[in-house]
Amino acid sequence: MKKSVSIIGSGFSALAASCYLAKAHYDVTIYEKNATIGGRARQLKKEGFTFDIGPTWYWMPDIFERFFGDFDKKPSDYYSIEKLNPAYNVYFGELDYISIEDSLEKICATFEKEEAGSGAKLRSFIASAQENYDIAIKDLVYRPGVSPLELVTPKTIKKLGLFMSNIKKMVRSEFKNKRLAQILEFPVLFLGAKPSDTPAFYNFMNFADFGLGTWHPKNGMYSVIEGMAKLAQELNVKIHTESPVEKIITKNGKATGIVVNGKTIESDIVLSGADYHHSETLLDKKDRQYSESYWKKKTFAPSSLLFYVGFSKKLENVVHHTLFFDVDFDVHAEAIYDDPKWPKEPLFYASFPSKTDASAAPEGKEAGIFLIPLAPGIEDTPEVREQYFDIIMERFQRLTDQDITKNIIFKESFCVNDFVKDYNSYKGNAYGMANTLMQTAFLRPKLKSKKVKNLFFTGQLTVPGPGVPPSLISGKLAAELINQHHPIQ
């Protein structure tokens, strides 16, 4: 007999889980609180401009291929991608930047030009990163974080030292040039912690960057959400928007349904793809696994101050993805992780999707997304947002040698308060819980509730961790656990 599954939220992990469950013949319904699907990956459309509100980087194309392949489909059945060249530019000073191109050969040549001998070092560094990538993707990330033994394989035992060391130590022992070291440390920011707090094993992110490259889905990351939703609907998943879940109903230690807009919906299984901390607040206190003090002690990935800006002209000296590392990274990182406060001189990232994709802006105009990483839970006011917009615009103009303030048609901002309001995000975090050593695999919040039967979780606060590809994997793992514990007879 069919079993019903109610899924809370419609981000990447929830949509992925819905597809796997529907394929296994569960009766699946998604409930999304916002007016559009996608969770953090929603879209903003204004005056002919289109912005991805959340993720803008398409990395690890193999994970997307594997996801769609599980349904005998290909990503290209739903959306098209192109490889970016350059993948991104990194600014260190006025018109002083390093361009990361679209092949390891070209990147090695760039490194060599910057520091003699570093090209050969990079080849060997990326070979080891690729080995770790293969172990991570084949052996580790598709495991449900139930037991420490999941981490113990003949291959991982050989890599034990890499779990004890950290990315910063590993990079700086090989690369003395500060600029090159910063470029190699950049990808772990996607994992939500400082390079000095991220196990060296995670250098597999460097292979994702330099080996697999940076891609762009036509019409933006939202086209991936639309593709996944289309697949879900082809598999008979029902999706309801403007349907906030107000309570998870339990009876005798078992989840029996949810309350949506005041209406009780009975369900055999409940799966939450919403923020984990928030999901547990939908339960009576006795049914919660983790206390408030548990969450307070955890290292959360940063929040962000984002600006979505429409420009009346094409911008110069920038590419689709442009990073601004012209200030001290360590000082900014302290303001996020060690002594949470607004950074005096923030690093920032800018994305100009209209450099690649004509759909992002009207002809002759430019769409710009600017992001400053911040400590979660920080005070967020309109005045502070305005102040930081001025700070980064002044630097942006100076570094790229152009005057653009008169060309701003509009700007919209999104920060800590919006992450809380729109996504019920704990402390307004943007990326979930960081992948530090003590928050890896089985040490993360569990996919299956330890207290309530028939209740499961998925997303970036559980396994495997932050980022879009891990969210797809998280959805698969949660669906497999449900199938294991509640098989359809």
Side-chain angles (χ1 to χ4, degrees):
M1 200 176 104
K2 269 207 170 181
K3 291 180 180 170
S4 58
V5 184
S6 289
I7 299 183
I8 306 171
S10 66
F12 283 107
S13 57
L15 285 172
S18 79
C19 292
Y20 286 109
L21 289 166
K23 185 189 173 192
H25 306 297
Y26 291 84
D27 180 10
V28 184
T29 308
I30 286 174
Y31 297 92
E32 166 58 54
K33 81 182 272 287
N34 292 309
T36 55
I37 61 165
R40 283 167 165 79
R42 292 179 304 150
Q43 220 176 32
L44 167 67
K45 284 178 182 261
K46 185 169 179 173
E47 295 181 31
F49 293 82
T50 302
F51 305 89
D52 281 317
I53 290 180
T56 53
W57 293 78
Y58 191 100
W59 270 13
M60 305 187 188
D62 51 324
I63 304 285
F64 295 87
E65 282 161 22
R66 186 162 168 179
F67 168 74
F68 284 101
D70 285 341
F71 304 92
D72 299 320
K73 302 281 188 185
K74 300 187 294 293
S76 58
D77 294 331
Y78 297 94
Y79 57 89
S80 62
I81 58 171
E82 66 176 290
K83 196 172 195 183
L84 297 181
N85 187 33
Y88 53 91
N89 284 352
V90 186
Y91 267 87
F92 294 97
E94 294 176 23
L95 286 183
D96 172 17
Y97 59 84
I98 291 177
S99 201
I100 299 301
E101 292 182 85
D102 62 347
S103 76
L104 185 55
E105 272 317 297
K106 292 178 191 169
I107 299 166
C108 286
T110 299
F111 269 52
E112 189 61 33
K113 210 159 108 187
E114 185 73 19
E115 181 186 33
S118 66
K121 280 183 184 171
L122 181 64
R123 259 186 210 90
S124 134
F125 186 85
I126 295 299
S128 122
Q130 180 170 6
E131 203 178 285
N132 292 342
Y133 187 87
D134 289 342
I135 294 169
I137 299 306
K138 288 174 186 151
D139 286 5
L140 298 182
V141 292
Y142 284 92
R143 299 183 178 208
V146 171
S147 150
L149 296 176
E150 291 170 11
L151 292 178
V152 183
T153 72
K155 285 179 182 170
T156 56
I157 287 167
K158 288 182 194 161
K159 301 280 182 180
L160 204 55
L162 293 182
F163 283 97
M164 296 303 126
S165 182
N166 65 61
I167 288 283
K168 185 164 190 169
K169 208 180 277 178
M170 182 191 223
V171 168
R172 304 274 167 152
S173 69
E174 292 287 330
F175 298 88
K176 301 305 173 206
N177 180 298
K178 196 179 173 189
R179 290 150 63 109
L180 298 182
Q182 280 189 298
I183 289 170
L184 286 166
E185 288 167 2
F186 146 69
V188 304
L189 299 179
F190 286 115
L191 301 171
K194 288 194 293 191
S196 55
D197 289 336
T198 303
F201 179 73
Y202 283 107
N203 84 327
F204 68 73
M205 292 294 287
N206 293 114
F207 174 70
D209 180 0
F210 291 176
L212 298 173
T214 301
W215 302 72
H216 174 72
K218 194 171 184 313
N219 302 324
M221 286 296 283
Y222 197 68
S223 62
V224 185
I225 288 288
E226 289 174 324
M228 292 176 72
K230 187 165 186 282
L231 171 62
Q233 286 163 329
E234 286 164 3
L235 293 160
N236 298 318
V237 172
K238 296 174 282 298
I239 301 175
H240 298 298
T241 52
E242 297 184 85
S243 300
V245 175
E246 291 143 11
K247 190 165 176 56
I248 297 170
I249 306 162
T250 62
K251 197 175 173 186
N252 303 327
K254 185 195 272 190
T256 58
I258 54 176
V259 177
V260 179
N261 285 329
K263 187 180 163 201
T264 298
I265 291 156
E266 288 182 6
S267 186
D268 295 314
I269 295 145
V270 174
L271 168 64
S272 182
D275 175 273
Y276 204 123
H277 168 269
H278 168 73
S279 303
E280 286 225 311
T281 68
L282 302 175
L283 292 160
D284 291 337
K285 226 169 191 169
K286 64 175 173 45
D287 292 329
R288 296 173 197 171
Q289 306 164 86
Y290 305 109
S291 64
E292 284 300 317
S293 65
Y294 168 89
W295 295 110
K296 275 188 189 127
K297 285 180 198 144
K298 293 294 160 194
T299 303
F300 272 79
S303 185
S304 300
L305 169 55
L306 290 134
F307 294 103
Y308 311 99
V309 188
F311 293 99
S312 63
K313 69 171 184 182
K314 286 296 194 189
L315 303 192
E316 295 165 12
N317 304 325
V318 289
V319 294
H320 188 126
H321 295 298
T322 308
L323 303 162
F324 294 87
F325 283 8
D326 55 307
V327 296
D328 194 319
F329 172 78
D330 291 335
V331 175
H332 186 156
E334 274 171 31
I336 297 174
Y337 298 104
D338 305 333
D339 176 18
K341 58 176 181 286
W342 281 88
K344 268 205 181 87
E345 294 187 302
L347 285 88
F348 64 98
Y349 150 69
S351 170
F352 303 97
S354 43
K355 289 283 175 202
T356 306
D357 195 332
S359 71
E363 199 173 336
K365 297 177 180 176
E366 204 86 87
I369 300 165
F370 296 83
L371 181 154
I372 302 172
L374 296 172
I378 204 163
E379 189 190 11
D380 167 20
T381 66
E383 294 74 25
V384 174
R385 293 188 191 193
E386 203 57 40
Q387 182 191 339
Y388 275 81
F389 184 71
D390 292 344
I391 289 170
I392 63 171
M393 280 303 123
E394 184 279 317
R395 269 191 25 229
F396 177 77
Q397 292 183 104
R398 182 165 43 79
L399 293 166
T400 62
D401 190 29
Q402 61 190 318
D403 185 2
I404 48 113
T405 43
K406 294 184 196 74
N407 300 101
I408 294 170
I409 304 168
F410 66 82
K411 71 171 189 295
E412 298 274 340
S413 63
F414 199 96
C415 196
V416 173
N417 295 347
D418 302 298
F419 280 102
V420 173
K421 178 173 71 74
D422 287 3
Y423 312 129
N424 297 306
S425 165
Y426 181 72
K427 289 187 173 177
N429 79 80
Y431 303 98
M433 195 188 274
N435 262 338
T436 59
L437 180 62
M438 297 313 290
Q439 292 180 179
T440 289
F442 67 96
L443 296 170
R444 295 178 73 79
K446 301 296 180 201
L447 290 163
K448 180 181 183 295
S449 172
K450 296 176 284 188
K451 284 201 168 180
V452 178
K453 284 182 183 161
N454 303 12
L455 176 60
F456 297 80
F457 301 87
T458 186
Q460 50 189 17
L461 268 71
T462 179
V463 291
V468 176
S471 293
L472 297 186
I473 296 166
S474 187
K476 179 175 188 171
L477 295 175
E480 285 173 349
L481 269 189
I482 289 170
N483 218 341
Q484 189 185 318
H485 288 275
H486 304 279
I488 289 186
Q489 304 303 327

